[in-house]
Amino acid sequence: MRSIEELEAKLAEPSEALIQDLAALDGDIMLLGIGGKMGPSLARLARNALKKAGVEKTIWGVSRFSEHGLKEQLEQEGIHTIAYDLLDDEQLQKLPDVKNIIYMAGNKFGTTGREHFTWAMNAYLPGRVAEKFRNSRIVVFSSGNIYPFTPVFQGGATESQAPSPLGEYGQSTLGRERIFEYFSRKYEIPMVIYRLNYAIDLRYGVLLEVAKAVKAGKPIDVTMGHANCIWQGDANEIALRSLTICSSPPNFLNVTGPETISMRWIAHEFGKRLGTQPVIVGQEAEDALLNNASKAFQLFGYPRVTLLQMLDWIAEWVASDGATWNKETHFQERQGKF
């Protein structure tokens, strides 16, 4: 892939399974927080799946739309947008009642120094949203940051692992889960708690950060020596298909790729592709923030885009100076400060 257009087309390419699932789904779909990294491509994926299914449904996208031009672009692509601040309760209550909600609103980066805002977004707002959409099914985006670090040899935390988040971002994300779970049980709202660990495309993500460092000859600290990641298109597909497995109490679901990825190995793989020797510093810790997504694979199958394919695409993108976003993952963070 050599252009943004090719990338966006790939991210919005539905599988036959997704087409069938959305064709059978009752009701329209609303994305709350569509303006983030994953929201626009998720909406386009849903739109394409519905088109191929020959089914008419409205896809709604709600956001403050701080990115210039995004609202207009989505409207041109057939997404019905609403420019609201979800923390404004008057605006929240004006939203149309929609059967299927993908909840993507939240705050991570910039938490340190603005902890109050992070808690409002991540733990207060969910209660207001759950009250508003008590008659809907809801897929709630969460994070692997609710888990403790686990030994690398363990293969990642499963959904049965007790949460033990490090730092206020992780704590407030667990707060989001607990509040949604409370209202799911109170009103019997069908939900999936979608615990995502590192979605990537070519413009951001763990792999891109390592590839850029390798190309620039910058040191790569491997103290946080292992990570998981999944192609954003596959993560988006699992989010949409999760609408079919919502339950009360909520169904908890880890979402990531199947590999426990060595950062040292990744750096050397990018070195081969980019024709340079990576600069490695530090020594791998015995534990890391890792998810085990076996349950998701059992339900929906393995991701369609493999790790080696991601490495090839990202190496080509970095070599040709493809456009990137200034949205670092901070995957090296071991103190929970974002």
Side-chain angles (χ1 to χ4, degrees):
M1 289 182 285
R2 298 298 178 89
S3 69
I4 296 294
E5 291 73 23
E6 287 180 275
L7 170 58
E8 291 291 1
K10 187 66 179 177
L11 289 171
E13 188 178 90
S15 70
E16 188 59 39
L18 176 62
I19 294 167
Q20 293 176 8
D21 279 351
L22 292 194
L25 191 72
D26 60 307
D28 295 336
I29 300 171
M30 178 179 283
L31 280 63
L32 299 178
I34 195 175
K37 294 191 295 289
M38 295 178 66
S41 62
L42 195 152
R44 294 178 185 119
L45 178 64
R47 176 205 61 191
N48 288 351
L50 290 169
K51 280 184 178 180
K52 291 194 175 185
V55 174
E56 289 291 331
K57 295 184 191 294
T58 300
I59 302 172
W60 300 87
V62 184
S63 172
R64 289 188 294 266
F65 289 106
S66 55
E67 181 184 334
H68 178 71
L70 177 60
K71 183 179 188 297
E72 294 74 17
Q73 182 182 0
L74 290 172
E75 285 281 351
Q76 291 173 4
E77 295 171 348
I79 313 301
H80 293 251
T81 63
I82 300 175
Y84 276 1
D85 180 352
L86 293 172
L87 280 173
D88 184 321
D89 200 61
E90 183 177 347
Q91 294 184 15
L92 174 63
Q93 299 308 320
K94 288 180 181 178
L95 290 175
D97 293 323
V98 174
K99 184 65 177 177
N100 302 288
I101 302 296
I102 307 287
Y103 183 84
M104 309 179 78
N107 188 66
K108 180 176 183 178
F109 304 118
T111 290
T112 301
R114 295 187 73 208
E115 290 83 358
H116 58 282
F117 177 72
T118 296
W119 280 92
M121 283 296 298
N122 292 353
Y124 164 76
L125 180 58
R128 303 304 303 140
V129 168
E131 285 274 12
K132 164 66 180 174
F133 293 105
R134 67 177 72 176
N135 296 315
S136 303
R137 60 177 67 91
I138 308 175
V139 173
V140 178
F141 268 61
S142 185
S143 169
N145 284 86
I146 62 96
Y147 291 121
F149 289 179
T150 57
V152 173
F153 64 79
Q154 181 178 313
T158 66
E159 292 84 356
S160 63
Q161 172 80 51
S164 182
L166 181 66
E168 291 212 36
Y169 164 67
Q171 293 163 10
S172 67
T173 302
L174 179 58
R176 174 197 299 154
E177 291 192 5
R178 297 301 196 209
I179 296 300
F180 269 117
E181 181 179 2
Y182 168 79
F183 284 101
S184 174
R185 292 174 181 270
K186 179 178 180 179
Y187 296 126
E188 297 186 346
I189 305 170
M191 289 185 187
V192 164
I193 305 295
Y194 175 99
R195 292 170 170 169
L196 178 64
N197 229 15
Y198 299 136
I200 72 152
D201 78 15
L202 306 186
R203 294 163 293 189
Y204 81 98
V206 174
L207 302 184
L208 175 68
E209 291 171 29
V210 175
K212 287 171 64 179
V214 170
K215 182 185 177 186
K218 294 181 178 179
I220 300 162
D221 187 348
V222 297
T223 305
M224 182 72 91
H226 298 81
N228 307 124
C229 70
I230 184 171
W231 178 246
Q232 183 174 301
D234 288 316
N236 285 343
E237 171 149 332
I238 293 172
L240 287 167
R241 295 188 67 194
S242 290
L243 288 165
T244 68
I245 61 164
C246 291
S247 64
S248 176
N251 195 352
F252 291 86
L253 190 68
N254 289 347
V255 179
T256 193
E259 298 92 355
T260 296
I261 305 168
S262 160
M263 293 294 100
R264 185 184 296 269
W265 178 77
I266 286 291
H268 283 288
E269 287 297 308
F270 279 128
K272 295 175 188 176
R273 289 162 173 78
L274 295 169
T276 186
Q277 185 68 24
V279 180
I280 306 291
V281 297
Q283 185 62 47
E284 289 84 348
E286 294 182 354
D287 57 11
L289 183 66
L290 297 167
N291 271 15
N292 184 317
S294 298
K295 179 179 175 180
F297 304 145
Q298 181 183 34
L299 290 166
F300 302 122
Y302 281 89
R304 290 186 294 164
V305 177
T306 65
L307 176 58
L308 288 179
Q309 181 65 80
M310 288 186 271
L311 295 183
D312 289 344
W313 282 342
I314 289 171
E316 291 172 357
W317 194 261
V318 169
S320 60
D321 294 317
T324 59
W325 293 333
N326 186 27
K327 297 180 178 180
E328 294 186 358
T329 63
H330 297 269
F331 72 90
Q332 307 97 330
E333 176 59 47
R334 294 187 62 85
Q335 303 302 318
K337 295 181 179 180
F338 298 99

